[in-house]
């Protein structure tokens, strides 16, 4: 990537923090297997247990409740299962109720069969429909097992924050289990599994400035746990077998330490930049629709539709001007898919929307340049065929 490009796709992956890079590099040369009892193995075990404590601190959880995985997708597949244990006793989960705006990692339903999945709608402002959630849980057939509810704390496309504490109250009143995908919330809002009232949180290293390939399932306690997804040598107390990846885990922990410091102050700076850019966008194109602007959102995201400009075309136009942003949800094939989040919010998804997501490395100069490119793209859309 040329140095003149600007990166505005932090929700897809945040740039690697120097602290995380340093931690990865020093872990790379460590010899031994963390499960070995000799000194080399014990040194790696200490690294992993310290990292577990750092990730627990980020999530307001106890270190013993952090299970390292290869990322958030694996953590979701680990926890979204009909088969749980309460200590030694099997515990059946009858149905998964997932919000309509979940990331595919959750929306696909993990290990639940398709017929055991229900969708919780959102109202037009992108917030989960609480009365419908209440109705769904009241109608839940407990003979099948307990209900499980999955709602993300911060949506990856819109940045909208869900009222998790209110959702937790409803879930608790119906004896259910609450899983919260906190991937886009970590480091962007203060995070505490206790305060949220969630039973499980899901976090990912590469969204907070750590390396790709690490994540965690964080539980509120240690008694009620899902059946393992990966069986074998019994690592991670039997919840996730396979030799741990100390390099990725060390980087993940370094990032967790860094983004956990002064969350409020740091996000305040990012929010001011985001708000400035939004102001300039609205001044340049009064018809731009900024989704979720009237509800509680994280301070780094702008999800917008420019009438008359298809998201795919817009993404290419920004890219050619040196601005990396994303359109709808990028499928693994690299093709742009229609946004299920827009559909759930009641918008026509055909035109799509573009997402700008920034972070602490974003500068005032980046914001100015992005605003200029936005104005150019918006003007061109009004006069197709004319040179901008
Ligand atoms: N959940 C959300 C909200 C995400 O944004 C993502 C990544 O795009 C994931 C889950 C999956 O994370 P990972 O890449 O660690 O599997």
């Amino acid at each position: 990537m040329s140095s003149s490009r600007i990166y505005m796709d932090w929700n897809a992956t945040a740039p690697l923090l120097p602290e995380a890079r340093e931690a990865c590099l020093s872990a790379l040369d460590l010899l031994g297997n963390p499960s070995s009892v000799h000194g080399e193995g014990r040194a790696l075990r200490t690294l992993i247990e310290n990292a577990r404590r750092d990730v627990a601190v980020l999530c307001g959880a106890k270190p013993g409740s952090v299970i390292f995985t290869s990322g958030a997708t694996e953590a979701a597949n680990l926890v979204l299962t009909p088969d749980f244990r309460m200590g030694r006793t099997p515990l059946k989960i009858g149905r998964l109720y997932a919000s309509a705006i979940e990331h595919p990692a959750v929306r696909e339903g993990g290990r639940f069969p398709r017929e055991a999945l229900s969708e919780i709608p959102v109202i037009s402002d992108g917030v989960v429909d609480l009365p419908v959630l209440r109705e769904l849980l009241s109608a839940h057939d407990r003979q099948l097992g307990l209900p499980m509810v999955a709602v993300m704390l911060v949506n990856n496309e819109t940045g909208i924050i869900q009222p998790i504490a209110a959702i937790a109250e409803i879930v608790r009143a119906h004896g259910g289990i609450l899983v919260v995908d906190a991937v886009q919330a970590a480091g962007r809002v203060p995070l505490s599994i206790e305060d949220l009232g969630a039973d499980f949180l899901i976090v990912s290293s590469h969204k907070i400035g750590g390396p790709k390939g690490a994540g965690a399932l964080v539980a509120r306690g240690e008694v009620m746990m899902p059946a393992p997804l990966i069986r074998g040598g019994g690592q991670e107390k039997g919840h996730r077998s396979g030799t741990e990846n100390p390099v990725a885990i060390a980087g993940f922990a370094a990032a967790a330490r860094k983004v956990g410091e002064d969350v409020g102050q740091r996000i305040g700076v990012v929010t001011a930049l985001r708000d400035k850019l939004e102001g300039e966008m609205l001044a340049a194109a009064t018809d731009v629709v900024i989704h979720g602007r009237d509800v509680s959102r994280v301070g780094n995201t702008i999800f917008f539709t420019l009438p008359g400009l298809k998201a795919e075309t817009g993404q290419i136009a920004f890219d050619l001007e040196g601005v990396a942003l994303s359109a709808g949800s990028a499928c693994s094939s690299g093709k742009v898919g229609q946004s299920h989040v827009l559909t759930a919010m009641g918008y026509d998804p055909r035109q799509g929307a573009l997402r700008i997501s920034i972070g602490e490395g974003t500068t005032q100069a980046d914001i100015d340049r992005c605003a200029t490119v936005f104005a150019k793209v918006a003007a061109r859309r009004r006069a197709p065929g004319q040179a901008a």
Side-chain angles (χ1 to χ4, degrees):
M1 191 189 287
S2 111
S3 60
S4 67
R5 287 185 62 84
I6 57 172
Y7 185 73
M8 299 220 152
D9 201 12
W10 287 55
N11 289 7
T13 281
L16 189 68
L17 285 163
E19 293 83 352
R21 185 172 192 279
E22 189 55 42
C24 290
L25 289 176
S26 29
L28 206 50
D29 283 330
L30 294 178
L31 176 64
N33 183 315
S35 295
S36 298
V37 291
H38 47 60
E40 288 81 352
R42 288 200 311 275
L44 277 172
R45 172 60 45 209
T46 303
L47 178 153
I48 287 171
E49 295 316 316
N50 288 343
R52 202 182 303 285
R53 200 193 48 219
D54 292 332
V55 172
V57 169
L58 178 70
C59 299
K62 297 186 187 77
S65 310
V66 173
I67 305 167
F68 284 119
T69 62
S70 65
T73 302
E74 186 195 321
N77 278 270
L78 171 58
V79 73
L80 303 178
T81 174
D83 299 315
F84 264 66
R85 285 196 160 273
M86 185 69 106
R88 290 174 174 270
T89 315
L91 180 71
K92 206 78 195 148
I93 313 299
R95 180 162 278 280
L96 171 65
Y97 300 85
S99 92
I101 54 160
E102 294 304 297
H103 185 277
V106 169
R107 235 160 85 87
E108 285 296 313
R111 291 179 276 167
F112 282 93
R114 287 258 163 232
E115 59 275 16
L117 305 181
S118 291
E119 193 170 270
I120 317 164
V122 295
I123 45 183
S124 59
D125 59 9
V127 177
V128 162
D129 192 329
L130 299 185
V132 171
L133 171 62
R134 232 178 250 116
E135 278 166 31
L136 284 168
L137 294 184
S138 300
H140 175 80
D141 180 0
R142 291 185 68 95
Q143 304 274 54
L144 302 173
L146 299 182
M148 175 180 275
V149 173
V151 179
M152 66 208 318
L153 177 50
V154 170
N155 181 262
N156 47 304
E157 293 189 19
T158 60
I160 291 173
I161 301 174
Q162 298 295 327
I164 297 295
I167 291 167
E169 229 169 83
I170 298 171
V171 174
R172 229 185 349 262
H174 291 85
I177 295 174
L178 177 59
V179 175
V180 173
D181 174 345
V183 165
Q184 298 288 347
R188 302 203 175 119
V189 294
L191 200 55
S192 159
I193 193 167
E194 287 292 337
D195 294 351
L196 289 170
D199 295 295
F200 294 93
L201 291 186
I202 294 168
V203 285
S204 175
S205 161
H206 72 107
K207 306 289 183 170
I208 63 168
K212 295 165 190 70
L217 176 66
V218 180
R220 185 129 63 106
E222 288 183 64
V223 181
M224 183 180 65
M225 296 302 282
L229 172 67
I230 300 177
R231 294 168 204 270
Q235 288 87 345
E236 297 296 286
K237 293 190 200 148
H239 299 303
R240 201 279 190 180
S241 287
T243 302
E244 300 88 339
N245 179 348
V247 175
I249 289 174
F252 181 17
R257 281 197 301 275
K258 182 72 186 164
V259 304
E261 289 164 10
D262 305 325
V263 179
Q265 191 267 332
R266 287 186 304 100
I267 200 66
V269 175
V270 173
T271 306
L273 288 173
R274 190 274 311 265
D275 290 349
K276 172 139 197 306
L277 178 54
E278 269 189 7
E280 295 194 19
M281 288 165 65
L282 286 159
T286 49
D287 58 344
V288 63
V289 180
I290 297 178
H291 303 287
R293 193 152 187 261
D294 299 328
V295 289
S296 181
R297 272 184 308 160
V298 277
N300 81 318
T301 305
I302 306 173
F303 193 47
F304 67 96
T305 298
L306 260 172
L309 180 79
K310 278 191 88 130
E312 284 164 79
T313 318
Q315 184 181 25
I316 293 164
F318 275 90
D319 193 41
L320 290 174
E321 296 285 347
V323 179
L325 45 65
S326 87
S329 36
C331 308
S332 51
S333 61
K335 282 194 312 204
V336 176
Q338 284 194 352
S339 165
H340 68 283
V341 177
L342 274 188
T343 310
M345 288 169 69
Y347 288 99
D348 178 352
R350 279 172 303 182
Q351 190 182 333
L354 291 167
R355 180 186 68 192
I356 292 172
S357 52
I358 62 172
E360 273 158 67
T362 307
T363 62
Q364 182 61 56
D366 294 339
I367 295 294
D368 294 344
R369 168 115 173 265
C370 186
T372 306
V373 171
F374 174 85
K376 201 166 164 183
V377 172
R380 241 190 247 156
R381 130 203 91 127
R382 291 217 183 79
Q386 282 181 19

